[in-house]
Amino acid sequence: MANYPTPHIHAAPGDFGKTVLMPGDPLRAQFIAEHFLEHPRLVNNVRGVQGYTGTYEGVKVSVMASGMGMPSIGIYSHELFNVFGVETILRVGSAGALQEQVKLRDIVLGQGACTDSRWAEQFRLAGTFAPIASFQVLETAVNVAREKALPFHVGNLLSSDRFYGDDAGVPEALTANAGWKKMGVLAIEMEAAALYLNAARYGKKALAICTVSDHILTGEATTAQERQTSFTDMMRLALETARRLEAQP
């Protein structure tokens, strides 16, 4: 086990709860802590990546930003899982819809995470590993979403290494997005696959809970301010999931 603090998390043993919510944006982490946690305490602010611990309906829960992309969430999830005793990470982020039935502001629960990343190569596998969520966590989140009558979808995400693609001049049917769309991928984001791979490697649990912030097919989009502060259904879903996980064996 590594020494405290780590290069990226200046915290001490016991500073984090067993479940950590991880938005990409540090300001979203601050918003969740200040609006939903009781007695939130700042436990990390290295590089401005804010991490807070408080309670939600009596259960100790933490929230800390992951930054953007798989290398970034790969670092933070590795340290949380291996150094700070975290058992479950719930990514709470945004995604771009890739199917007509997925609407702006709908929630996508990432049952699996396809990827164009080479993150898995470090594990020296003799084949292709399928990064998937923890069924226990996914089942819990689905039950909560149904009870709250939230608009949600369960299926594959695409965790992509690129935000800006070089598809100019390429026929629409041959673009990268068209290929993933025809395979039923619901939405595109940039972190879940690395999180799922790290969770698998270290015997931990993870789930990506994403709100659709933009629609790749229609061009609809939310603003940066809306992504930071208004995706509250996703936040409440994640927090209630964390609370129920604490009560499970």
Side-chain angles (χ1 to χ4, degrees):
M1 182 166 291
N3 294 324
Y4 299 92
T6 67
H8 309 95
I9 303 175
H10 197 282
D15 276 349
F16 288 94
K18 293 295 183 183
T19 300
V20 176
L21 277 62
M22 294 205 83
D25 183 357
L27 294 178
R28 190 183 296 153
Q30 181 182 18
F31 179 88
I32 293 170
E34 293 178 350
H35 288 80
F36 295 102
L37 296 186
E38 300 162 356
H39 310 297
R41 177 172 62 95
L42 185 69
V43 296
N44 179 63
N45 200 25
V46 176
R47 300 178 180 231
V49 176
Q50 300 179 46
Y52 297 85
T53 295
T55 59
Y56 178 76
E57 297 190 4
V59 172
K60 183 178 179 181
V61 178
S62 298
V63 54
M64 190 177 80
S66 70
M68 291 189 291
M70 282 175 271
S72 187
I73 199 170
I75 289 171
Y76 291 112
S77 61
H78 178 100
E79 294 182 3
L80 289 171
F81 283 148
N82 291 292
V83 180
F84 293 97
V86 171
E87 294 296 325
T88 304
I89 293 178
L90 302 175
R91 162 161 159 68
V92 284
S94 56
L98 200 54
Q99 301 293 334
E100 288 83 357
Q101 75 273 17
V102 181
K103 306 302 182 184
L104 204 67
R105 297 184 177 278
D106 282 1
I107 293 171
V108 177
L109 302 175
Q111 182 177 18
C114 308
T115 187
D116 56 19
S117 167
R118 299 175 66 179
W119 186 264
E121 290 187 11
Q122 65 183 296
F123 302 114
R124 300 174 300 280
L125 301 168
T128 302
F129 184 87
I132 59 173
S134 158
F135 179 75
Q136 178 189 8
V137 182
L138 176 60
E139 183 181 39
T140 302
V142 166
N143 289 338
V144 174
R146 284 176 174 159
E147 290 172 17
K148 294 182 177 295
L150 299 177
F152 75 97
H153 310 265
V154 179
N156 262 329
L157 293 166
L158 168 65
S159 300
S160 180
D161 268 342
R162 63 177 192 162
F163 187 85
Y164 299 104
D166 191 20
D167 286 334
V170 178
E172 178 64 28
L174 299 179
T175 61
N177 286 347
W180 296 112
K181 179 180 182 297
K182 73 181 179 183
M183 296 303 292
V185 171
L186 297 177
I188 304 176
E189 53 85 69
M190 301 185 72
E191 287 84 23
L195 174 61
Y196 289 3
L197 283 158
N198 277 9
R201 172 63 181 87
Y202 303 116
K204 305 290 185 171
K205 292 174 284 190
L207 174 65
I209 303 173
C210 295
T211 298
V212 174
S213 60
D214 58 284
H215 208 296
I216 294 168
L217 305 181
T218 67
E220 298 171 276
T222 57
T223 67
Q225 181 66 23
E226 287 174 318
R227 291 192 295 273
Q228 179 183 314
T229 62
S230 71
F231 291 174
T232 52
D233 283 347
M234 169 182 68
M235 299 170 190
R236 290 190 178 95
L237 170 57
L239 287 164
E240 178 60 19
T241 299
R243 186 190 71 81
R244 296 190 187 189
L245 288 172
E246 187 71 17
Q248 295 174 11

